[in-house]
Amino acid sequence: MLNPLVDSLADLSINELEDKIVVLQRRYFMTANLGVQAQIQNFLEIYKQELQTRRAIEYQRQQNQD
């Protein structure tokens, strides 16, 4: 999923991605505006997909080393 408002995620570490997810989740529940919640949900999906991809790559890398 691409969004022109999201910069390249390659520059972020796994910890930074996790931190951004936590912040976005907190903001999601702080607002009652459904439009804002929908936008935050889009960003959450982008960050979660990137995090899942990186974890899968890391897991594969570890499996190859064993």
Side-chain angles (χ1 to χ4, degrees):
M1 182 182 295
L2 296 174
N3 188 313
L5 299 177
V6 176
D7 293 332
S8 173
L9 300 179
D11 298 336
L12 299 175
S13 69
I14 289 178
N15 288 337
E16 290 172 326
L17 283 171
E18 291 171 341
D19 290 343
K20 285 194 176 278
I21 290 170
V22 168
V23 168
L24 286 171
Q25 287 173 334
R26 189 176 308 130
R27 289 181 181 163
Y28 178 86
F29 291 109
M30 286 174 60
T31 185
N33 185 321
L34 296 178
V36 172
Q37 283 182 337
Q39 289 298 315
I40 292 172
Q41 186 63 36
N42 288 336
F43 287 112
L44 278 168
E45 284 301 315
I46 291 168
Y47 286 116
K48 285 179 180 181
Q49 285 177 359
E50 179 69 19
L51 185 60
Q52 183 179 10
T53 300
R54 289 195 192 182
R55 285 182 175 162
I57 291 169
E58 184 63 30
Y59 176 77
Q60 191 66 28
R61 189 177 302 140
Q62 289 178 356
Q63 292 298 318
N64 291 339
Q65 289 179 355
D66 292 342

